Amino acid sequence: MLLEVDELKWSEFISVYGKGSLFIEPVWLSITATNFGYGLKYYIWTEGTEEVIGFPIFYKGKTIKSPTNFHFFPLVKAKGIEKQKNIAFIRSIENLKRRFGSIRLKMEIDFPYQKELEGLGFNVTEKFTYIKRLDNLNYSRNIFRMIKKAEQQSYTTSLSTSFESSFSKIWESNKGYLLGSNKKQIFSFFSALIKKNFSQILDLHQDGAHIASLLVIEDQNQKVVYTYLISIPDRKKYPEVQAMLYNYGMSLYKSKGFLFCDLCGANLSSIAKFKAKFNGDLERYQYAVYNSSYFIKIEEYIKKLIRRW
């Protein structure tokens, strides 16, 4: 049976079984839902008195989806053998399909039930990212050359002391990428995350001038740092800045005991080519999308109206 539970029950559930990612934490989830105006639900599948799996969802209207493009769908496995968990997942998704017209999920790396989602009518698309082990900060010669050059040009790196200034640089470089969000909303979101130690901004200066910033997300549960957004100055004038900032971030989090750096995406060839030079491992993850026939008809109708307009 799929049960909707409150935050207190969810917190109890993950305290026993949730040795997973940041994305199951109620504080993180609540900040995200509140900031972007989404609903948030917690579900646990039970068989009798035994809890088998659990997961949170964001939703808006009749659509399950994340407000951000970096949030993974986190599945928490509890009791039972693997076959029970597999069946529980299938039954849970079937249940959600009856309640919602559209479901859009970004799956974690090595998510175990891709075939089950396809069997349930989901369109599953494969995506990629680079994961760098922080116990081996070995890069390509090109990256090392850029870092060495940067070290000779009086650059300095540090944690940001002015969130507003650093964020403004990041926003100007990424507002096209963050299409659908406004500056005030994103500013409020990351400001709240930084106050809860879920995020940080790393700055790079030259002779006192603020040149660039890198925004990272910290998953202290799994010891993973995500290099989410970077401000990009004039590449001809500052060709080595990105390499130095990424190296600073990975070195910093290695010293904090983090194990991995997710370089956040390798789906555009130009970006993938640069990130590959940090000698990380190319990993696959999936986007899974389901639309009911009724939901598809509504979307098609809206598109026709827009074309006529």
Side-chain angles (χ1 to χ4, degrees):
M1 178 184 297
L2 186 63
L3 301 177
E4 183 180 340
V5 300
D6 62 18
E7 184 177 302
L8 178 60
K9 174 59 182 174
W10 178 256
S11 297
E12 292 173 355
F13 177 74
I14 64 171
S15 71
V16 178
Y17 306 111
K19 297 177 181 178
S21 72
L22 165 71
F23 305 119
I24 65 173
E25 294 294 338
V27 175
W28 166 277
L29 295 165
S30 180
I31 289 172
T32 305
T34 300
N35 192 83
F36 292 100
Y38 275 60
L40 170 62
K41 292 180 183 289
Y42 302 102
Y43 289 107
I44 297 175
W45 181 274
T46 64
E47 293 181 7
T49 60
E50 190 170 83
E51 296 168 337
V52 183
I53 62 169
F55 54 86
I57 63 161
F58 296 111
Y59 68 95
K60 205 159 196 176
K62 286 290 185 179
T63 299
I64 294 174
K65 63 178 181 178
S66 171
T68 69
N69 60 2
F70 57 79
H71 182 92
F72 289 98
F73 171 73
L75 181 68
V76 179
K77 293 184 177 183
K79 294 182 178 179
I81 62 174
E82 181 56 34
K83 185 175 180 181
Q84 284 178 289
K85 294 168 185 174
N86 184 297
I87 293 171
F89 176 75
I90 292 171
R91 298 289 180 263
S92 296
I93 297 299
E94 288 174 338
N95 196 302
L96 293 180
K97 284 171 61 179
R98 291 192 290 270
R99 302 183 191 189
F100 295 89
S102 179
I103 303 174
R104 302 166 188 234
L105 306 173
K106 181 182 179 182
M107 318 313 294
E108 293 182 296
I109 293 170
D110 296 327
F111 186 77
Y113 302 134
Q114 178 183 340
K115 290 183 178 179
E116 284 76 4
L117 285 170
E118 291 173 333
L120 288 164
F122 281 74
N123 179 32
V124 178
T125 305
E126 198 166 68
K127 301 288 186 178
F128 300 89
T129 190
Y130 280 105
I131 305 293
K132 177 67 176 175
R133 292 184 60 93
L134 297 183
D135 62 353
N136 180 16
L137 298 185
N138 181 36
Y139 313 133
S140 72
R141 291 181 182 178
N142 180 264
I143 293 295
F144 276 127
R145 278 198 299 268
M146 285 191 281
I147 294 170
K148 187 174 182 179
K149 183 179 179 182
E151 290 172 344
Q152 296 170 348
Q153 296 188 34
S154 66
Y155 288 115
T156 58
T157 50
S158 64
L159 293 177
S160 175
T161 57
S162 173
F163 173 75
E164 187 169 356
S165 172
S166 300
F167 180 81
S168 293
K169 277 195 173 294
I170 290 169
W171 172 261
E172 288 305 314
S173 289
N174 294 278
K175 57 187 176 183
Y177 174 69
L178 296 169
L179 189 65
S181 300
N182 60 60
K183 183 177 180 179
K184 183 178 179 181
Q185 190 177 49
I186 296 293
F187 181 96
S188 173
F189 176 59
F190 281 108
S191 178
L193 293 185
I194 286 173
K195 288 176 182 176
K196 294 295 182 179
N197 296 318
F198 291 136
S199 184
Q200 287 285 356
I201 297 182
L202 316 181
D203 284 347
L204 184 143
H205 292 79
Q206 185 181 46
D207 298 325
H210 185 188
I211 305 300
S213 294
L214 172 65
L215 187 149
V216 302
I217 298 166
E218 302 178 5
D219 186 340
Q220 296 189 28
N221 293 352
Q222 294 189 325
K223 299 299 180 186
V224 179
V225 59
Y226 297 83
T227 54
Y228 181 51
L229 295 171
I230 189 168
S231 65
I232 304 172
D234 185 336
R235 286 192 177 92
K236 291 182 179 179
K237 188 175 180 180
Y238 304 104
E240 62 286 327
V241 161
Q242 288 187 75
M244 188 168 188
L245 261 179
Y246 276 113
N247 177 60
Y248 169 55
M250 286 188 270
S251 299
L252 175 66
Y253 281 93
K254 178 182 179 179
S255 72
K256 290 185 174 186
F258 280 64
L259 303 176
F260 302 99
C261 175
D262 187 331
L263 290 162
C264 289
N267 298 304
L268 295 176
S269 59
S270 57
I271 294 175
K273 186 177 179 180
F274 171 71
K275 292 181 178 179
K277 295 176 182 178
F278 289 94
N279 294 343
D281 296 318
L282 187 64
E283 300 284 358
R284 293 174 172 82
Y285 63 94
Q286 291 83 31
Y287 273 102
V289 178
Y290 167 80
N291 291 316
S292 69
S293 57
Y294 175 77
F295 195 88
I296 292 171
K297 288 178 182 178
I298 294 295
E299 280 193 328
E300 289 175 348
Y301 177 71
I302 292 172
K303 287 177 182 177
K304 286 180 181 179
L305 289 179
I306 292 172
R307 285 196 293 268
R308 288 175 184 174
W309 182 263

